[in-house]
């Protein structure tokens, strides 16, 4: 995605510098506090704790003060939801489509368990280093021909039709819940340990071993992410009154208009946890 690239190389890139894009793609919600509880425990017991203030308090208690240590993935998707709703209200279909399309990257992150763990690239002592790219990139690439049909089967088999989300807070909770379901099905510690057992690297031997152990659960998690994404799209469209728009406003969106939006750093600005609360609508 263009925003994950350095601005010096890609127009619209936001990685590093004054645009803190990276921590919007994850949240290390499983690191224990001194009392043994994790943010995942706290918010699973009380979803009303999925707030910027509660997450700031958690990271503060862990001594995580730098922006990169304070992941905010659910709130980033909340920000996208607000933008989609406002776009529909303003009959700005290009802005809705642009925000909806880019949001797919973040919801996709939420159904990858290493994006919700302090073990995101192995143990703190360095064991299991590079598990993230080996599992999430190399394994997916090597098994794509098998993985994609499995995802389609999982999506087709789903029968649940939950009520539409009404606001960004509910969206943030939905993303948190997706992260919890993913980590339950694919425990980060299991991924790291399995990777260490292979000896490391990104060869087909390594990724095949990971696939044998985690392939089916990975497909199910990605299908869960796809359904959650569609659910958020539908919810934003409904919340903005999209059903009242005339047929003449619907159709293909000009790609030049989309590019103009996603290359504009004021469109869906990348913010830190300590900044994003000021722009979220309640």
């Amino acid at each position: 995605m263009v925003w994950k690239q350095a601005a010096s190389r890609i127009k619209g890139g936001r990685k590093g510098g004054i645009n803190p894009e990276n921590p919007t793609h994850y949240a290390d919600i499983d690191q224990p506090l001194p009392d043994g509880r994790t943010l995942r425990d706290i918010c699973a017991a009380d979803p009303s704790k999925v707030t910027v203030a509660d997450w700031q308090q958690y990271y503060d208690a862990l001594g995580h003060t730098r922006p990169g240590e304070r992941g905010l993935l659910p709130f980033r998707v909340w920000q996208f939801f607000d933008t989609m709703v406002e776009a529909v209200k303003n009959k700005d279909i290009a802005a809705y489509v642009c925000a909806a399309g880019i949001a797919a990257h973040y919801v996709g992150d939420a159904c990858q368990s290493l994006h919700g763990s302090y073990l995101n690239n192995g143990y703190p002592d360095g064991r299991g280093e590079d598990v993230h790219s080996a599992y999430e990139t190399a394994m997916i690439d090597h098994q794509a021909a098998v993985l994609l049909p499995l995802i389609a089967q999982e999506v087709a088999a789903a029968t649940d039709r939950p009520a539409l989300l009404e606001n960004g807070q509910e969206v943030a909770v939905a993303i948190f819940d997706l992260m919890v379901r993913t980590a339950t099905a694919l425990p980060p510690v299991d991924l790291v340990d399995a990777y260490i057992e292979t000896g490391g690297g990104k060869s087909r031997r390594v990724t095949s071993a990971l696939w044998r152990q985690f392939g089916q659960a990975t497909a199910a998690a990605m299908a869960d992410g796809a359904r959650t994404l569609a659910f958020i799209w539908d919810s934003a469209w409904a919340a903005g009154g999209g059903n009242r728009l005339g047929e003449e406003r619907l159709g293909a969106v000009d790609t030049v208009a989309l590019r103009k939006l996603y290359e504009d750093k004021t469109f869906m600005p990348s913010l830190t946890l300590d900044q994003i609360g000021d722009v979220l609508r309640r």
Side-chain angles (χ1 to χ4, degrees):
M1 187 181 76
V2 65
W3 291 352
K4 290 285 282 182
Q5 301 297 323
S8 61
R9 293 188 287 119
I10 300 291
K11 186 176 181 181
R14 303 186 181 189
K15 188 174 182 180
I18 62 172
N19 291 294
E21 174 64 18
N22 279 7
T24 68
H25 290 268
Y26 56 80
D28 297 348
I29 60 176
D30 62 350
Q31 187 169 1
L33 292 165
D35 64 7
R37 294 181 305 153
T38 66
L39 186 58
R40 192 167 74 194
D41 297 331
I42 294 167
C43 295
D46 182 1
S48 71
K49 296 290 187 181
V50 183
T51 69
V52 170
D54 283 292
W55 287 40
Q56 287 171 317
Q57 183 179 355
Y58 168 77
Y59 289 127
D60 289 346
L62 289 171
H64 294 333
T65 58
R66 293 178 297 181
E69 298 173 319
R70 299 161 75 87
L72 60 146
L73 176 54
F75 306 110
R76 180 59 157 163
V77 182
W78 177 344
Q79 184 187 7
F80 271 97
F81 177 82
D82 287 346
T83 298
M84 286 187 279
V85 171
E86 193 65 20
V88 176
K89 287 181 177 179
N90 293 334
K91 300 180 174 61
D92 188 346
I93 304 304
Y96 171 83
V97 170
C98 190
I102 299 171
H105 185 120
Y106 300 84
V107 179
D109 290 335
C111 63
Q112 296 292 327
S113 65
L114 295 177
H115 279 259
S117 177
Y118 77 107
L119 303 177
N120 65 86
N121 200 34
Y123 289 106
D125 62 7
R127 290 177 299 130
E129 185 177 4
D130 290 334
V131 61
H132 194 117
S133 57
Y135 167 70
E136 192 175 302
T137 301
M139 187 194 79
I140 299 301
D141 287 347
H142 292 168
Q143 300 292 339
V146 180
L147 174 63
L148 294 178
L150 285 177
I151 295 172
Q153 290 172 17
E154 292 281 350
V155 170
T159 58
D160 57 313
R161 295 294 297 271
L164 293 178
L165 303 167
E166 296 184 359
N167 54 60
Q169 174 72 53
E170 292 183 1
V171 169
V173 172
I175 292 300
F176 170 80
D177 288 344
L178 172 61
M179 295 172 73
V180 171
R181 292 194 301 272
T182 302
T184 300
L186 293 157
V189 67
D190 290 357
L191 284 168
V192 176
D193 286 347
Y195 180 67
I196 293 171
E197 183 67 23
T198 69
K202 302 174 188 176
S203 67
R204 287 190 177 272
R205 178 191 62 79
V206 170
T207 61
S208 293
L210 294 176
W211 177 259
R212 284 192 295 273
Q213 188 167 348
F214 304 109
Q216 189 65 53
T218 298
M222 295 176 79
D224 192 4
R227 293 193 301 269
T228 301
L229 175 64
F231 182 40
I232 291 171
W233 287 344
D234 285 349
S235 297
W237 186 260
N243 293 337
R244 295 192 296 271
L245 294 180
E247 290 287 336
E248 69 279 1
R249 291 188 175 273
L250 306 181
V253 176
D254 180 44
T255 57
V256 174
L258 292 176
R259 182 169 185 171
K260 184 177 179 180
L261 283 169
Y262 69 68
E263 289 184 348
D264 179 0
K265 291 183 182 179
T266 65
F267 178 74
M268 288 297 307
S270 304
L271 303 170
T272 68
L273 180 67
D274 298 320
Q275 296 169 329
I276 201 166
D278 292 336
V279 305
L280 300 178
R281 298 188 180 93
R282 291 167 178 81

